[in-house]
Amino acid sequence: MNRIRPLREACLAALVAAATTAHAQAPAPAEEKPASAPSEAAKPAPGTKPPVVAPSGQAKPETPAKVQTLEVTGTRTSTTDRRDSTAAKIVIGREEIEQYGDSNLGDVLRRLPGVTQGGRPGRGGPVRFRGLGGGFTQFLINGERIPPGFSIEDITPEQVERIEILRAPTAETGTRAIAGTINIILREALRQRRNDIRAGIQSELGRETANTSFTRNDSFSETGTYNLTVSTSVRDQSNDAINESIYRDVASNQVALAQRSDGQSVSKGESVFSTLRTQWRLGPGEQFSFQPFGVASNNHTTSRDVFTQSVGVTAPPYATGESKNDSQFRSGRFMTMLNKRLDPKTTYELRGGAGVFTVGVDGRRQQFDATGARTLLEETSNDIRDASWNVAGKVARSWGETHRATAGIEWEQTNRSEKPLTRINGEVQLAEFGSELDVRVKRAAAFIQDEWDPNPQWSTSVGLRWEAIETTSDAPGNPVNNRSSVVNPLAAAVWRFDGGKRDQLRASLTQSYRPPTTQNLVARPRLNTLYPVPGPNTPITADSAGNPSLQPEVANGLELAIERYLSANGVISLNVFTRQLTDVIRNVTALESVSWATSPRWVSRPQNFGKASTSGLEFDAKFQLREIIKGAPPVNLRANLSAFKSQVDGVPGPDNRLASQPDMTANLGGDYRFPGTPFSVGASYNWTPAYDSRVTEQQLERIQRKSVLDAYLLWHFSASGRLRFAVTNTDPTPTVSETIFTDGGVSQAAVNSRKGGPVYAIRLEMRL
């Protein structure tokens, strides 16, 4: 709390100052519209020119005078970007990103069509698209893959210009996207001088988290602009968790062993994220940009748990436990891009980037028996350094009247070193695997793509992408030499039913893949210490290790969608998809004779598991209610529903689904500005039902229902400032997951339950 209090007090002081300066409240400002966007009445009909109107008060000249023509064009929006794209994608702009005042990007993403989020509500967590994570979803920053060790949770919403969700892969954006691609576009530099300041505090279970953000747009020359954004956060959170282990005899259903751990932990940390985007205009359609960004965070967690055994004849492994973990993360990277024209029909683009991140982790775990005597001392540490660089180039040329061809090459290299160390009761573990782990990853890619518009109603795209990845490591005990390459063909088409582009039909036929991750390949074990070596363990307390012989998954996909675009930027869409996969990768738990223990140990390793399939139906809509019902109040509505079905051929059903994919997920949200007042309100509901997932014939996972209700009240106290009051997870329910392993007539169940609470937030947003 000592580190949080100064920032919290500063935020509160800023909030009070802003509120007291608003004593003479002005009428609510009208809804902002881009100056260049014509009103509905002023828009000319498609294919016609706007009428020329003589200025009032002037006589009409007897002879026609030469009149200067003023071309009126509409401002591009996220909806027009979606409509005009040949690739099937959803575009989320700044207005929607800011809608709920989220403090982390994960909460923004979980409201989007087909997106689910792990972790506790209001805490962020891993993001999945179409229920598939773990490499099935490709994440990009400004069109480039997220560097190793970086997480989208490190990015705050204030630093994002827009979010693009590509349902089908393209040759240019990459094919490591079986589920799809989420592209995060960072803030762009503007010539207009503007400062955005945001400060907020949120409270959960009596503990506060404070965050601030500053963004500045300005120009430094006639051709140069920049955007600087700095975000800071100070976090103080408590966590309550219950872990239960229940062993039953399958034939009699009698409980043979029942154990439970009740734990409480406190996690504190601080972080800072900064990015600078500079751009120089070099000519029409030409520019050079340079964008560095950096992240630094420190985290400290302490926990205590009480272990009880209600059934069982053997002595429990411990009575109480204490843990302490400290970690530091530092990351710095830059991206640069040059766009130039060779001639009026030919352009080229050069991109490059490099960066490094370091992680330092130190942990200490102690366990005590009922008398207070220490039975276990586990000490862990790891120093990680990861350096990577990448270059890419592409050439685009228009040929004929309706073709635009693009070709490009890419190269990326990553060098990673780790120094893991584990001591149990003073004895070094896994000594035969060496004290240092070095891994090198090289990736090369080439692609060609042609976009063709045979007539105003048709848009097509065909492409071919080759990609190869090599992962090597010479570490003792776990050498890796894994090479893979794929060639993926892709095709997409859009049919517009009328010249006004109100209704569209989309189709795509693609091939994509998922390569094994470095962690999948590296065989160095990670030990479970509830049952420490050298003795045996159980399937639900298995060790984990990699598999150097893994091959990539390959998927053939089909997408069909119909879209209707409404009169005021609204859109309604229905999409169906299917994927047929080969060489599916999933973790399998088996009993092995291992070098790091004298008894056989249960070990979880990834394996190629044969064929699988997944399909789904996706509905999404966003519009003003008056676009559907004439004369209705100006309520903005957003709704989406995604239903999924999948099965893995090598696993008996039912529930032999792919990668713990839920049956469905849905979102419903809306907002309303009270006429004649400075107040707006909004709410959003996110729902994912409970489901079972059979991993293998012996292993079953159960995930309970997850629902999150958010609401906010926004007070526009001045033309440049507003105050937001928000609550997330208004009806908290525990996050519960269960793993059941049945073997030899015994069922072993591990149940994890984590409690959370409502998250209350107040946030000041100023634009100067």
Side-chain angles (χ1 to χ4, degrees), residues 10 289 465 576 638 695:
S289 65
R465 184 180 178 92
V576 294
R638 294 169 300 280
V695 181

Side-chain angles (χ1 to χ4, degrees), residues 686-739:
N686 173 265
W687 171 75
T688 303
Y691 63 94
D692 291 350
S693 178
R694 183 159 293 281
V695 181
T696 64
E697 185 176 358
Q698 295 82 22
Q699 186 173 342
L700 178 72
E701 294 180 352
R702 286 180 172 164
I703 306 297
Q704 297 299 315
R705 175 183 67 89
K706 182 177 180 179
S707 60
V708 186
L709 177 61
D710 306 335
Y712 73 87
L713 169 66
L714 193 61
W715 173 30
H716 301 259
F717 60 81
S718 72
S720 60
R722 55 190 190 179
L723 196 61
R724 182 186 301 272
F725 304 89
V727 58
T728 299
N729 197 28
T730 57
D731 183 23
T733 57
T735 302
V736 181
S737 61
E738 182 177 4
T739 298

Side-chain angles (χ1 to χ4, degrees), residues 527-679:
L527 305 181
N528 188 301
T529 56
L530 184 61
Y531 292 90
V533 297
N537 59 353
T538 69
I540 59 175
T541 60
D543 300 334
S544 58
N547 181 358
S549 61
L550 285 175
Q551 293 300 305
E553 299 177 49
V554 177
N556 294 305
L558 173 66
E559 304 258 352
L560 293 171
I562 186 168
E563 301 170 342
R564 159 150 284 204
Y565 292 88
L566 306 179
S567 58
N569 246 3
V571 59
I572 300 175
S573 169
L574 185 66
N575 186 80
V576 294
F577 74 90
T578 183
R579 300 282 191 274
Q580 302 296 319
L581 296 85
T582 58
D583 290 326
V584 172
I585 299 173
R586 66 184 343 181
N587 289 324
V588 177
T589 301
L591 188 63
E592 299 181 9
S593 296
V594 297
S595 62
W596 58 87
T598 56
S599 301
R601 299 274 292 185
W602 289 92
V603 182
S604 176
R605 294 183 188 270
Q607 295 182 13
N608 289 113
F609 216 79
K611 297 181 179 180
S613 63
T614 179
S615 57
L617 175 68
E618 301 168 315
F619 167 81
D620 73 277
K622 63 175 182 178
F623 52 83
Q624 277 198 5
L625 187 59
R626 59 179 52 172
E627 292 184 83
I628 305 297
I629 304 174
K630 188 175 181 180
V635 177
N636 295 312
L637 294 176
R638 294 169 300 280
N640 57 74
L641 172 67
S642 302
F644 311 114
K645 182 176 178 59
S646 61
Q647 67 177 31
V648 179
D649 293 352
V651 179
D655 304 317
N656 53 338
R657 64 186 76 234
L658 187 66
S660 301
Q661 185 184 56
D663 292 312
M664 63 178 61
T665 183
N667 288 277
L668 177 64
D671 59 88
Y672 177 68
R673 177 75 173 266
F674 293 99
T677 75
F679 296 105

Side-chain angles (χ1 to χ4, degrees), residues 369-533:
D369 63 17
T371 66
R374 189 171 68 187
T375 59
L376 175 74
L377 172 61
E378 179 188 15
E379 299 168 292
T380 59
S381 65
N382 197 1
D383 293 321
I384 303 173
R385 187 180 190 277
D386 190 295
S388 61
W389 60 273
N390 67 284
V391 292
K394 69 176 182 181
V395 177
R397 179 172 177 80
S398 300
W399 54 286
E401 296 295 328
T402 56
H403 283 273
R404 180 175 175 82
T406 307
I409 57 174
E410 301 172 5
W411 176 264
E412 180 182 13
Q413 184 166 327
T414 302
N415 296 312
R416 182 186 181 97
S417 65
E418 297 188 29
K419 297 180 180 180
L421 177 63
T422 301
R423 289 191 181 94
I424 295 181
N425 297 328
E427 184 176 345
V428 176
Q429 306 295 301
L430 305 174
E432 69 271 26
F433 291 91
S435 60
E436 186 167 351
L437 172 67
D438 294 300
V439 182
R440 297 169 297 281
V441 180
K442 299 177 182 178
R443 182 183 67 87
F447 68 89
I448 185 168
Q449 180 173 291
D450 180 49
E451 297 186 30
W452 178 37
D453 299 336
N455 61 53
Q457 290 181 283
W458 272 107
S459 292
T460 64
S461 174
V462 294
L464 191 70
R465 184 180 178 92
W466 166 81
E467 194 156 342
I469 300 177
E470 179 185 40
T471 304
T472 58
S473 175
D474 300 325
N478 57 327
V480 177
N481 191 356
N482 186 283
R483 293 178 175 86
S484 64
S485 66
V486 294
V487 177
N488 295 319
L490 310 107
V494 180
W495 167 260
R496 302 179 178 93
F497 288 93
D498 55 52
K501 299 183 179 179
R502 292 289 298 278
D503 298 307
Q504 296 186 163
L505 182 66
R506 294 184 180 273
S508 63
L509 188 63
T510 61
Q511 188 176 87
S512 52
Y513 83 111
R514 179 174 79 134
T517 64
T518 301
Q519 187 172 359
N520 289 151
L521 296 171
V522 175
R524 185 183 181 93
R526 291 165 291 280
L527 305 181
N528 188 301
T529 56
L530 184 61
Y531 292 90
V533 297

Side-chain angles (χ1 to χ4, degrees), residues 181-256:
T181 298
I182 298 178
N183 186 19
I184 310 298
I185 309 296
L186 298 181
R187 294 290 294 270
E188 298 177 355
L190 304 174
R191 294 200 64 81
Q192 178 184 6
R193 178 178 297 177
R194 193 173 71 194
N195 298 311
D196 290 342
I197 301 174
R198 297 164 191 255
I201 296 175
Q202 64 184 42
S203 176
E204 180 190 16
L205 301 175
R207 294 182 177 271
E208 292 80 29
T209 293
N211 51 74
T212 62
S213 176
F214 170 76
T215 299
R216 179 176 176 83
N217 281 284
D218 203 353
S219 59
F220 53 84
S221 69
E222 292 185 359
T223 60
T225 57
Y226 72 90
N227 171 284
L228 172 65
T229 302
V230 180
S231 301
T232 64
S233 175
V234 179
R235 175 175 49 83
D236 186 1
Q237 295 174 329
S238 64
N239 305 276
D240 294 337
I242 299 173
N243 292 284
E244 297 178 272
S245 300
I246 302 172
Y247 297 71
R248 297 177 184 270
D249 180 80
V250 174
S252 64
N253 200 34
Q254 292 294 315
V255 176

